[in-house]
Amino acid sequence: MPRIKSKHKLVIIADDEKGIRDSVAMILRGEGYDVLEAADGSEALQLVRRYHPDLLLLDVKMPRKSGPAVLDEITKKGLGPVVVVISAVGSVSIAVKVVKAGAYDFLEKPLSKDKLLITVENALKNAAMKVENLRLREELGGDEEFVGDSKMMRELRQAIAVVARTESRVLIFGESGTGKELVAKIIYTNSPRSERVFIKVNCAAIPSELIESELFGYEKGAFTGAERRKPGRFELADGGTLFLDEIGDLHLDAQAKLLRVLQEGEIEPVGAVRSTKIDVRVIAATNKRLEDEIAKGGFREDLYYRLRVVPIECPPLRKRVEDVEGLLEHFSRDYCRRNQLPEVRFAESARKALCQYHWPGNVRELKNLVERLVIFKAGGLIGRSDLPVEFLVKQEGERSGASLSTVKGKVEADYIMQVLADTKWNVSKTAEMLGIDRTNLHKKIKKYGLKRLKNSEV
Ligand SMILES: Nc1ncnc2c1ncn2[C@@H]1O[C@H](COP(=O)(O)OP(=O)(O)OP(=O)(O)O)[C@@H](O)[C@H]1O
Ligand SMILES: [Mg+2]
């Protein structure tokens, strides 16, 4: 699809008065938007189809196709751009109807520069949120089940149900891969704010020098390169929920700013003269022990207490081995269904070995393991010997009962598989890397039943 190659937002102005088109285009271009002009309704539709603009400014009365007719086609066909209607004085009642029909807002002529810019910015912000919400809803998809029937999980579920109904801040903690992010999303989807936005910020993934402007935004001209005002994640989350993931990685300067925002309920974008009220529910998560970080001086105690109004712990999998079987079933069923693979079954011996394992990577590790097993064993029965070598050796120095040759074979097969994956199944290259000849490698591939499957990343 042709799309103007630019990182700037594309706006189409559709109006039959050239004077209006020219001045709108000039104002918007001055603010860094890309602008295309349409002199009538059908030209507007053509341009929308061709260029997929972010926003359409649409006059009501136009030759060849009126504004409402254009809007009708756009909403019917799900063409996408957010629409702002421009109405002449006196046709406000039409404009109101058009807004009901799906336009975001309307502007009355004569247009004022400030009003135009604010409306355009809000419309685009709103559109971005809608897209994000849709994506999230798809991601949450309702089919992301929260599995586990152990006592700990039942208690966790109960706590989630209670806290979801409130507006309280929540701090979710627990080891890596225990389901903290999933819990945050479940709290959100069951909260009074579920119809509003859910914005996620991974505090560990954003460089410390950028995190403040990312969270709180900046004003135009706040520093060199700040050509336009940028709303922060707090502002984007206004009215909704903000998930601050890996909060333990937030550096101290940003912590001080965050504390102020939580205390005052106001944000102050970099370079701003005034602060703005915001209404955001904050859910935070961390796999660090924040008490230790506080003791080391890496985390502010006052911020800690502001965040952990309701603390929620995701317990490690090894403390609730009763959940392993349920998770196995869940992930294998889910993965097979999504990839249209026949389901696998787990032999008793395999289940036992999986329950004895200490799961340092928790649920995520189990999920990844199941995906790998399903790919290699589609439709089959997974026995103990199909598991990676770490499952064959019991913990705490006990003998596992597996013969040395089985363990050696497992290690060899796993390693060959890894190199094959790295070379994308280039047999000559793999043989060379392993220091054996190709015939020998072929024999081993056959012996261990190694297979390459389409769509597989393993
Ligand atoms: N109880 C559960 N039921 C179903 N799926 C789960 C459960 N717990 C975790 N998962 C899944 O396991 C994976 C890891 O979970 P998640 O990303 O929420 O962990 P996390 O605690 O945020 O990890 P990290 O600290 O590494 O960010 C996800 O795919 C998640 O959907
Ligand atoms: Mg996480």
Side-chain angles (χ1 to χ4, degrees):
M1 283 290 151
R3 174 77 167 83
I4 288 181
K5 240 181 134 181
S6 156
K7 60 183 184 337
H8 298 249
K9 295 281 186 194
L10 176 63
V11 179
I12 292 179
I13 162 76
D15 198 306
D16 52 339
E17 278 179 67
K18 188 169 182 308
I20 297 225
R21 290 201 307 271
D22 287 349
S23 60
V24 167
M26 199 177 71
I27 293 171
L28 293 180
R29 285 191 187 117
E31 292 296 312
Y33 295 102
D34 290 326
V35 185
L36 292 173
E37 298 175 33
D40 61 54
S42 45
E43 192 184 359
L45 263 180
Q46 266 174 18
L47 290 182
V48 167
R49 291 210 179 92
R50 185 131 185 246
Y51 293 106
H52 303 275
D54 299 289
L55 176 91
L56 172 63
L57 288 165
L58 187 63
D59 186 23
V60 176
K61 280 200 193 118
M62 279 186 297
R64 291 175 69 198
K65 220 173 209 122
S66 72
V70 172
L71 177 68
D72 196 43
E73 291 222 13
I74 285 179
T75 36
K76 229 171 32 208
K77 303 221 167 101
L79 282 174
V82 51
V83 177
V84 170
V85 172
I86 305 170
S87 68
V89 193
S91 61
V92 172
S93 64
I94 301 178
V96 172
K97 262 191 220 149
V98 186
V99 168
K100 282 200 180 133
Y104 169 75
D105 202 353
F106 68 88
L107 285 164
E108 217 181 334
K109 288 183 194 173
L111 301 172
S112 94
K113 182 180 172 186
D114 288 346
K115 188 92 201 324
L116 172 70
L117 287 177
I118 290 170
T119 310
V120 164
E121 193 180 315
N122 284 341
L124 289 170
K125 209 156 68 172
N126 181 273
M129 275 181 193
K130 271 201 179 142
V131 170
E132 174 65 10
N133 256 2
L134 253 162
R135 194 188 61 73
L136 250 165
R137 234 156 258 283
E138 254 165 39
E139 204 181 293
L140 297 169
D143 61 345
E144 189 150 27
E145 250 177 85
F146 191 57
V147 179
D149 205 34
S150 59
K151 185 160 174 284
M152 279 178 167
M153 289 307 264
R154 286 205 301 270
E155 284 168 5
L156 178 56
R157 218 180 254 117
Q158 181 88 36
I160 291 171
V162 173
V163 75
R165 270 181 254 127
T166 71
E167 295 270 333
S168 307
R169 277 179 214 137
V170 185
L171 178 63
I172 308 167
F173 56 100
E175 288 176 17
S176 181
T178 47
K180 296 184 294 294
E181 182 163 352
L182 182 59
V183 167
K185 287 176 182 167
I186 294 173
I187 293 176
Y188 157 72
T189 30
N190 289 288
S191 76
R193 293 180 180 232
S194 61
E195 296 295 313
R196 318 291 282 277
V197 279
F198 177 90
I199 305 273
K200 176 186 157 175
V201 183
N202 185 339
C203 302
I206 301 168
S208 59
E209 66 275 16
L210 295 183
I211 188 87
E212 281 181 38
S213 56
E214 192 63 33
L215 286 175
F216 312 113
Y218 54 77
E219 290 299 321
K220 184 176 167 181
F223 44 83
T224 0
E227 283 165 22
R228 254 202 269 175
R229 173 175 186 280
K230 179 188 148 86
R233 301 283 181 104
F234 261 98
E235 198 175 333
L236 292 176
D238 197 13
T241 307
L242 181 66
F243 175 43
L244 296 175
D245 202 5
E246 317 285 3
I247 189 85
D249 290 275
L250 199 64
H251 72 86
L252 283 163
D253 290 348
Q255 283 179 32
K257 265 205 143 179
L258 175 60
L259 177 71
R260 247 206 349 266
V261 174
L262 298 183
Q263 278 168 342
E264 325 267 320
E266 288 180 348
I267 48 160
E268 202 174 290
V270 180
V273 273
R274 248 179 273 121
S275 45
T276 328
K277 275 252 164 275
I278 41 136
D279 163 30
V280 170
R281 179 187 200 182
V282 171
I283 302 179
T286 179
N287 55 23
K288 288 194 172 162
R289 284 181 44 88
L290 290 184
E291 294 87 342
D292 295 350
E293 297 299 312
I294 293 169
K296 281 191 275 177
F299 203 85
R300 292 181 69 118
E301 191 169 12
D302 42 9
L303 177 60
Y304 173 67
Y305 287 110
R306 287 271 167 187
L307 289 169
R308 58 157 282 170
V309 177
V310 182
I312 286 203
E313 183 185 3
C314 291
L317 191 52
R318 67 182 163 280
K319 286 198 184 156
R320 47 185 176 101
V321 284
E322 313 91 282
D323 291 333
V324 169
E325 293 211 20
L327 286 164
L328 276 181
E329 299 292 339
H330 167 71
F331 289 131
S332 62
R333 206 181 322 118
D334 186 54
Y335 193 75
C336 291
R337 207 194 53 218
R338 277 190 291 119
N339 294 281
Q340 286 153 2
L341 292 167
E343 277 191 32
V344 292
R345 283 170 303 124
F346 289 85
E348 191 52 39
S349 59
R351 287 170 194 271
K352 218 170 131 200
L354 291 168
C355 287
Q356 280 166 352
Y357 183 60
H358 60 297
W359 297 110
N362 292 297
V363 183
R364 182 180 295 113
E365 185 183 5
L366 187 144
K367 186 177 177 183
N368 292 342
L369 172 74
V370 170
E371 291 189 1
R372 264 173 64 195
L373 290 172
V374 166
I375 290 171
F376 293 126
K377 277 277 182 175
L381 179 71
I382 294 169
R384 188 155 183 264
S385 57
D386 295 313
L387 303 178
V389 67
E390 58 269 30
F391 293 88
L392 300 184
V393 186
K394 274 197 186 169
Q395 281 87 58
E396 291 134 26
E398 280 177 62
R399 263 180 291 124
S400 67
S403 72
L404 188 59
S405 68
T406 313
V407 175
K408 269 160 81 180
K410 283 299 304 171
V411 176
E412 186 169 84
D414 280 356
Y415 188 60
I416 294 174
M417 199 58 211
Q418 263 176 38
V419 181
L420 281 168
D422 288 348
T423 63
K424 303 214 160 40
W425 279 76
N426 180 329
V427 174
S428 313
K429 220 165 157 185
T430 305
E432 194 189 314
M433 284 167 77
L434 293 171
I436 56 178
D437 62 36
R438 286 185 43 162
T439 342
N440 198 356
L441 177 59
H442 275 298
K443 270 195 210 145
K444 287 184 191 293
I445 290 176
K446 207 166 154 209
K447 176 176 165 196
Y448 297 123
L450 306 180
K451 271 185 246 137
R452 180 183 199 176
L453 277 124
K454 54 178 184 294
N455 302 330
S456 129
E457 290 160 18
V458 193

